[in-house]
Amino acid sequence: MLQPTEVVLVNDQSLTIRWNDGHAAVYFAENLRFNCPCAICEKARKSDPESTDHKELAQISRKVRFKEFKMIGRYAIGIEFSDGHNLGMYAYDYLYQLCQCDACRSDVTRIQGPVR
Ligand SMILES: [Zn+2]
Ligand SMILES: [Zn+2]
């Protein structure tokens, strides 16, 4: 079962997680904020890229910083961002796919963040 063995908030823009399969994952505030799994963000993210909701989410994500995180049971990490948003419970299997390390970023089958 996928579990983090170490979660480190490196600074307000990057978070690293060592997973129990040995993968050293890297996450950035922008990408995690954009891919927030809560219902509100999911709806905005999946709406038309030209819609106001989608554009607002992308805009917030570009400016946001990590504030803090907390472990939720043994299945997810809750992340609070500098915009005050803390509804996202990032389940381990979802979070694993959002890794932004060089190897994962070059894997096109993974979930991609906002396009710059
Ligand atoms: Zn959200
Ligand atoms: Zn990775």
Side-chain angles (χ1 to χ4, degrees):
M1 194 183 160
L2 191 64
Q3 292 282 332
T5 58
E6 191 184 47
V7 184
V8 179
L9 196 54
V10 180
N11 53 48
D12 64 2
Q13 289 185 69
S14 56
L15 177 80
T16 57
I17 298 179
R18 164 92 46 188
W19 294 99
N20 62 354
D21 66 353
H23 195 78
V26 182
Y27 301 92
F28 300 106
E30 176 181 358
N31 193 55
L32 288 194
R33 181 66 184 84
F34 185 79
N35 289 295
C36 172
C38 86
I40 303 162
C41 298
E42 189 184 14
K43 189 165 175 278
R45 188 167 60 250
K46 289 181 175 168
S47 64
D48 191 293
E50 292 304 313
S51 70
T52 310
D53 283 358
H54 189 102
K55 281 182 178 169
E56 269 178 19
L57 179 62
Q59 203 176 3
I60 290 166
S61 300
R62 278 194 290 273
K63 287 186 285 197
V64 94
R65 300 283 181 264
F66 287 125
K67 225 172 147 192
E68 57 182 356
F69 71 87
K70 60 174 189 288
M71 309 307 284
I72 299 170
R74 296 180 61 186
Y75 68 97
I77 297 176
I79 298 173
E80 183 173 351
F81 294 92
S82 58
D83 66 333
H85 194 68
N86 63 354
L87 299 174
M89 286 188 273
Y90 295 75
Y92 295 156
D93 53 350
Y94 181 66
L95 199 52
Y96 192 89
Q97 293 177 67
L98 293 173
C99 177
Q100 294 261 289
C101 79
D102 290 344
C104 293
R105 280 163 79 110
S106 58
D107 183 348
V108 293
T109 63
R110 283 176 176 262
I111 297 170
Q112 300 296 313
V115 180
R116 285 180 180 274

